[in-house]
mmCIF file of all heavy atoms in Angstrom:
data_model
loop_
_atom_site.group_PDB
_atom_site.id
_atom_site.type_symbol
_atom_site.label_atom_id
_atom_site.label_comp_id
_atom_site.label_asym_id
_atom_site.label_seq_id
_atom_site.Cartn_x
_atom_site.Cartn_y
_atom_site.Cartn_z
ATOM 1 N N CYS A 11 -28.098 10.890 4.261
ATOM 2 C CA CYS A 11 -27.398 11.962 3.551
ATOM 3 C C CYS A 11 -26.617 11.322 2.408
ATOM 4 O O CYS A 11 -25.953 10.344 2.590
ATOM 5 C CB CYS A 11 -26.425 12.703 4.553
ATOM 6 S SG CYS A 11 -25.325 13.817 3.755
ATOM 7 N N LEU A 66 -17.297 35.353 11.415
ATOM 8 C CA LEU A 66 -18.241 34.860 10.355
ATOM 9 C C LEU A 66 -18.455 33.429 10.460
ATOM 10 O O LEU A 66 -19.611 32.858 10.258
ATOM 11 C CB LEU A 66 -17.726 35.262 8.967
ATOM 12 C CG LEU A 66 -18.740 34.944 7.798
ATOM 13 C CD1 LEU A 66 -19.952 35.807 7.941
ATOM 14 C CD2 LEU A 66 -18.064 35.251 6.464
ATOM 15 N N PRO A 225 -20.359 30.409 21.498
ATOM 16 C CA PRO A 225 -20.358 30.019 22.885
ATOM 17 C C PRO A 225 -19.969 31.179 23.808
ATOM 18 O O PRO A 225 -20.322 31.169 24.984
ATOM 19 C CB PRO A 225 -19.437 28.837 23.007
ATOM 20 C CG PRO A 225 -19.403 28.284 21.632
ATOM 21 C CD PRO A 225 -19.538 29.475 20.656
ATOM 22 N N PHE A 269 -15.236 16.633 31.585
ATOM 23 C CA PHE A 269 -14.390 15.485 31.362
ATOM 24 C C PHE A 269 -13.246 15.476 32.371
ATOM 25 O O PHE A 269 -12.868 16.425 32.943
ATOM 26 C CB PHE A 269 -13.820 15.514 29.890
ATOM 27 C CG PHE A 269 -12.861 16.600 29.671
ATOM 28 C CD1 PHE A 269 -11.458 16.467 29.836
ATOM 29 C CD2 PHE A 269 -13.262 17.805 29.137
ATOM 30 C CE1 PHE A 269 -10.595 17.559 29.626
ATOM 31 C CE2 PHE A 269 -12.455 18.866 28.922
ATOM 32 C CZ PHE A 269 -11.126 18.722 29.100
ATOM 33 N N TRP A 362 -34.215 12.300 21.611
ATOM 34 C CA TRP A 362 -35.199 12.109 22.760
ATOM 35 C C TRP A 362 -36.593 12.726 22.322
ATOM 36 O O TRP A 362 -36.599 13.492 21.325
ATOM 37 C CB TRP A 362 -34.759 12.735 24.022
ATOM 38 C CG TRP A 362 -34.726 14.247 24.119
ATOM 39 C CD1 TRP A 362 -35.730 15.096 24.232
ATOM 40 C CD2 TRP A 362 -33.590 15.015 24.118
ATOM 41 N NE1 TRP A 362 -35.362 16.356 24.320
ATOM 42 C CE2 TRP A 362 -34.025 16.427 24.296
ATOM 43 C CE3 TRP A 362 -32.199 14.754 24.030
ATOM 44 C CZ2 TRP A 362 -33.129 17.404 24.269
ATOM 45 C CZ3 TRP A 362 -31.308 15.821 24.113
ATOM 46 C CH2 TRP A 362 -31.748 17.207 24.220
ATOM 47 N N ALA A 363 -37.562 12.240 22.983
ATOM 48 C CA ALA A 363 -38.967 12.725 22.773
ATOM 49 C C ALA A 363 -39.578 13.211 24.020
ATOM 50 O O ALA A 363 -39.221 12.738 25.201
ATOM 51 C CB ALA A 363 -39.822 11.541 22.120
ATOM 52 N N MET A 383 -0.222 18.683 29.170
ATOM 53 C CA MET A 383 1.051 18.331 28.640
ATOM 54 C C MET A 383 1.789 17.402 29.663
ATOM 55 O O MET A 383 1.860 17.666 30.895
ATOM 56 C CB MET A 383 1.903 19.553 28.434
ATOM 57 C CG MET A 383 1.478 20.285 27.223
ATOM 58 S SD MET A 383 2.105 19.468 25.737
ATOM 59 C CE MET A 383 1.455 20.525 24.452
ATOM 60 N N VAL A 426 19.583 14.949 6.791
ATOM 61 C CA VAL A 426 19.337 13.513 6.712
ATOM 62 C C VAL A 426 19.686 12.994 5.385
ATOM 63 O O VAL A 426 20.295 11.868 5.250
ATOM 64 C CB VAL A 426 17.815 13.282 6.980
ATOM 65 C CG1 VAL A 426 17.467 11.842 6.742
ATOM 66 C CG2 VAL A 426 17.448 13.644 8.429
ATOM 67 N N GLU A 586 28.177 -3.950 5.184
ATOM 68 C CA GLU A 586 27.237 -3.034 5.750
ATOM 69 C C GLU A 586 27.114 -1.767 4.885
ATOM 70 O O GLU A 586 26.046 -1.160 4.708
ATOM 71 C CB GLU A 586 27.631 -2.560 7.167
ATOM 72 C CG GLU A 586 27.708 -3.729 8.141
ATOM 73 C CD GLU A 586 28.993 -4.436 8.177
ATOM 74 O OE1 GLU A 586 29.875 -4.011 7.392
ATOM 75 O OE2 GLU A 586 29.148 -5.383 8.908
ATOM 76 N N GLU A 678 29.243 -0.904 -42.840
ATOM 77 C CA GLU A 678 29.419 0.546 -42.800
ATOM 78 C C GLU A 678 28.145 1.263 -42.490
ATOM 79 O O GLU A 678 28.180 2.334 -41.822
ATOM 80 C CB GLU A 678 29.977 1.039 -44.165
ATOM 81 C CG GLU A 678 31.400 0.487 -44.513
ATOM 82 C CD GLU A 678 31.887 1.010 -45.782
ATOM 83 O OE1 GLU A 678 31.112 1.786 -46.453
ATOM 84 O OE2 GLU A 678 32.953 0.701 -46.207
ATOM 85 N N GLU A 744 9.118 -43.737 -31.071
ATOM 86 C CA GLU A 744 8.840 -42.343 -30.841
ATOM 87 C C GLU A 744 9.630 -41.359 -31.601
ATOM 88 O O GLU A 744 9.409 -40.200 -31.632
ATOM 89 C CB GLU A 744 9.007 -42.031 -29.318
ATOM 90 C CG GLU A 744 8.107 -42.784 -28.400
ATOM 91 C CD GLU A 744 8.267 -42.372 -26.940
ATOM 92 O OE1 GLU A 744 8.071 -41.212 -26.656
ATOM 93 O OE2 GLU A 744 8.638 -43.311 -26.108
ATOM 94 N N THR A 780 22.805 -34.194 -39.806
ATOM 95 C CA THR A 780 22.330 -35.423 -40.482
ATOM 96 C C THR A 780 22.841 -36.610 -39.637
ATOM 97 O O THR A 780 23.532 -36.490 -38.622
ATOM 98 C CB THR A 780 23.048 -35.489 -41.836
ATOM 99 O OG1 THR A 780 24.445 -35.659 -41.657
ATOM 100 C CG2 THR A 780 22.753 -34.272 -42.670
ATOM 101 N N ASP A 841 15.343 -29.573 -39.997
ATOM 102 C CA ASP A 841 14.228 -29.915 -39.205
ATOM 103 C C ASP A 841 14.616 -31.019 -38.167
ATOM 104 O O ASP A 841 13.834 -31.339 -37.272
ATOM 105 C CB ASP A 841 13.035 -30.532 -40.013
ATOM 106 C CG ASP A 841 12.422 -29.455 -40.922
ATOM 107 O OD1 ASP A 841 12.549 -28.268 -40.469
ATOM 108 O OD2 ASP A 841 11.899 -29.736 -41.953
ATOM 109 N N GLY A 864 38.893 -40.256 -16.613
ATOM 110 C CA GLY A 864 37.658 -39.911 -15.964
ATOM 111 C C GLY A 864 37.097 -38.625 -16.410
ATOM 112 O O GLY A 864 37.659 -37.923 -17.311
#
Side-chain angles (χ1 to χ4, degrees):
C11 170
L66 187 62
F269 65 90
W362 71 75
M383 284 287 179
V426 173
E586 298 86 0
E678 294 182 0
E744 297 182 61
T780 68
D841 292 333

